[in-house]
Amino acid sequence: MFILQWFINLGATVMIPLLLIIFAILLGTKPTRAVKAGITIGIGFIGLNLVIGLLSESLGTAAQGMIANFGLRLDVIDVGWPATSAIAYSTALGTMAIPIGIVVNMVLLIFGLTKTLDIDLWNFWHGAFIGSIIYATTNSFLLGILTIISYYLFIFWIADYMEPVISEFYGFPNITFPHGTSAPGYIIAKPLNYIFDRIPGFKNWDISPEQIQKKFGLFGDSTVMGLIIGLIMGILEGYDVSKILNLGMQTAAVMMLMPRMVSLLMEGLEPISEAASEFIKKRFPTRDIYLGMDSALSVGHPAVLSSSLILVPITILLAVILPGNRVLPFGDLATIPFIVCLMAAVFKGNIIRTVIGGTMYMGLGLYIATWISPLFTKMAQNANFDFKGNVNISSLADGSLWPTALFVFFAKYAAYIGVIGFGIIMTGLLIYQSKLKKGEN
């Protein structure tokens, strides 16, 4: 456990490249090519984190000022995903999340119940979070373990289920995103898209980044849209002219740099993906394997970025006007692209649908994050994290997501019956889906 914890503490920018280098060599990639690919992926993650940090620092600070201008006091702090993942991995249950995830994935692969080989081990922290918050709810270690297993069954089911849409929309063949922050949005978007398709008039509104640029020329360019949104945010915050212009340039930079960083990730991933495909074809000629990756690969899409920047002020406004909400959005404002990226895929890049669906999702999420904040705070205390001032904490990732609410509900009102029952349902869906895929082949 000590060695595993040390490895986790290296962080995603070191741990994932190392794992991918080892993985690539085992698949038969030349060591020099594997090392170069791993380093490129690591650089891509570092660059992406820098861009997300810029977004958080610029828009996050402006958001704080906007909330102060409204004169509203929100007493639950959104601590952001970095703190959330650190807390999740620091609990007794959290340290077991990666081994449990690997075992579940291997068992499902061996029995042909999933096609997803999840190599994004860092993001097993989502399972650590779910298990740890259930332990904080019930003080039952066994229930926490069963929750982590049930949660992973859900993640691998949805990873297989949404791969065709990811492949079509993002152009990533045989890649899927078993990512705990992003995947739940896909389930929300499916029924919403069905409803949107049946609203007269509205169903014909197809506003994609390409459509916007075609109609508005320069002002439809995603970088210029970022500039405009940044300028508006600066004005609403009450900045002087110099700060307004700087904020506009920073948000424009995010719109341009994010896709460049994602392209670096894809460049590094390409030889590993090729080696994995060849390996599977040689040894399992009748089976396809999807590589489970971080949804960071998707957040550079213009539809995701444009929708997310619009959703930042909308989320702040929701926090202000929704009765009963106590969460102050801050740390995870820059995580909104991860929350809505798979919703954008379901909506085929339609910005209006993504913004409306995202608004509904974020509104629900604020209530969930408020509801679980005492448990979130207790989980942090269990992990020996000391937040000064006796404040309650929560996060938009993963504290605002519906699977978190579902498992907390099970823990509070159904205990083992709810968690085990959910696991059985997910196993049934995995079996059904695997038979369906075989029939298609």
Side-chain angles (χ1 to χ4, degrees):
M1 284 299 176
F2 174 80
I3 295 171
L4 181 62
Q5 190 64 51
W6 176 86
F7 193 54
I8 292 168
N9 290 339
L10 291 175
T13 55
V14 175
M15 187 178 82
I16 291 176
L18 281 175
L19 288 170
L20 289 175
I21 289 170
I22 296 168
F23 183 60
I25 292 172
L26 291 174
L27 291 174
T29 307
K30 291 182 179 179
T32 52
R33 196 177 185 213
V35 170
K36 185 177 179 182
I39 292 172
T40 303
I41 290 169
I43 292 169
F45 270 113
I46 290 170
L48 192 64
N49 286 337
L50 287 172
V51 176
I52 291 172
L54 173 63
L55 180 63
S56 180
E57 183 180 346
S58 56
L59 280 188
T61 303
Q64 287 276 340
M66 287 177 61
I67 289 172
N69 290 341
F70 280 115
L72 199 75
R73 294 181 180 177
L74 301 171
D75 63 345
V76 176
I77 308 301
D78 165 25
V79 295
W81 77 264
T84 303
S85 60
I87 292 167
Y89 271 142
S90 298
T91 67
L93 266 171
T95 58
M96 302 179 68
I98 290 180
I100 292 172
I102 292 172
V103 170
V104 171
N105 195 187
M106 290 301 103
V107 169
L108 293 177
L109 282 167
I110 290 168
F111 286 97
L113 298 183
T114 184
K115 292 185 176 183
T116 299
L117 173 61
D118 193 354
I119 56 178
D120 181 25
L121 299 189
W122 166 258
N123 277 305
F124 278 51
W125 75 259
H126 301 285
F129 171 81
I130 290 287
S132 297
I133 205 162
I134 295 309
Y135 180 72
T137 307
T138 64
N139 290 321
S140 171
F141 197 83
L142 177 59
L143 188 58
I145 294 289
L146 293 173
T147 297
I148 293 174
I149 294 171
S150 291
Y151 176 77
Y152 285 140
L153 292 173
F154 160 71
I155 285 295
F156 290 119
W157 166 73
I158 194 174
D160 281 12
Y161 177 58
M162 65 190 178
E163 189 278 336
V165 172
I166 292 170
S167 179
E168 179 184 353
F169 181 72
Y170 289 113
F172 301 154
N174 294 328
I175 287 178
T176 187
F177 303 132
H179 190 280
T181 299
S182 305
Y186 186 91
I187 298 297
I188 296 294
K190 291 292 279 188
L192 285 178
N193 200 48
Y194 179 86
I195 294 169
F196 292 157
D197 280 340
R198 282 152 182 80
I199 299 176
F202 181 82
K203 65 181 180 181
N204 298 320
W205 292 4
D206 182 14
I207 301 185
S208 63
E210 293 78 16
Q211 293 281 346
I212 291 174
Q213 188 158 4
K214 184 177 179 181
K215 290 183 180 179
F216 297 98
L218 175 65
F219 292 99
D221 182 84
S222 60
T223 306
V224 177
M225 286 177 62
L227 173 70
I228 293 170
I229 292 170
L231 294 175
I232 293 171
M233 287 282 290
I235 293 169
L236 292 174
E237 197 282 340
Y239 282 160
D240 58 31
V241 174
S242 173
K243 286 187 175 181
I244 290 172
L245 294 174
N246 271 282
L247 181 60
M249 286 302 297
Q250 287 168 342
T251 50
V254 168
M255 294 293 282
M256 177 171 284
L257 292 175
M258 189 86 83
R260 306 286 174 89
M261 295 305 105
V262 172
S263 69
L264 268 181
L265 286 171
M266 290 306 299
E267 181 184 331
L269 186 63
E270 185 176 357
I272 300 171
S273 180
E274 289 174 0
S277 297
E278 288 299 317
F279 182 88
I280 295 300
K281 284 177 183 177
K282 286 180 181 178
R283 289 160 179 80
F284 306 98
T286 61
R287 291 183 63 182
D288 290 328
I289 292 292
Y290 307 146
L291 287 184
M293 288 296 299
D294 193 319
S295 57
L297 294 174
S298 68
V299 298
H301 193 283
V304 176
L305 281 176
S306 300
S307 303
S308 300
L309 285 179
I310 296 169
L311 281 167
V312 168
I314 289 176
T315 301
I316 295 165
L317 179 62
L318 289 173
V320 170
I321 65 174
L322 287 178
N325 171 61
R326 294 170 51 201
V327 175
L328 171 65
F330 177 63
D332 271 329
L333 287 174
T335 310
I336 290 176
F338 290 84
I339 296 174
V340 302
C341 61
L342 296 181
M343 299 182 77
V346 174
F347 298 138
K348 300 186 184 302
N350 189 318
I351 292 176
I352 285 189
R353 292 192 181 196
T354 306
V355 169
I356 292 175
T359 298
M360 298 167 68
Y361 194 29
M362 298 307 296
L364 173 65
L366 287 169
Y367 281 122
I368 294 172
T370 298
W371 180 50
I372 68 149
S373 62
L375 301 173
F376 197 115
T377 306
K378 183 179 177 182
M379 178 181 70
Q381 292 167 348
N382 289 344
N384 297 317
F385 278 77
D386 182 19
F387 289 90
K388 305 296 182 183
N390 296 319
V391 297
N392 280 329
I393 61 171
S394 194
S395 76
L396 299 183
D398 286 16
S400 70
L401 305 181
W402 66 263
T404 302
L406 186 66
F407 278 107
V408 169
F409 177 85
F410 287 156
K412 280 179 171 287
Y413 304 109
Y416 289 94
I417 295 174
V419 171
I420 294 173
F422 182 80
I424 291 172
I425 291 170
M426 287 299 107
T427 303
L429 287 174
L430 283 162
I431 293 170
Y432 173 76
Q433 188 165 256
S434 66
K435 290 182 177 179
L436 197 64
K437 298 280 185 182
K438 287 176 183 176
E440 292 174 356
N441 294 334

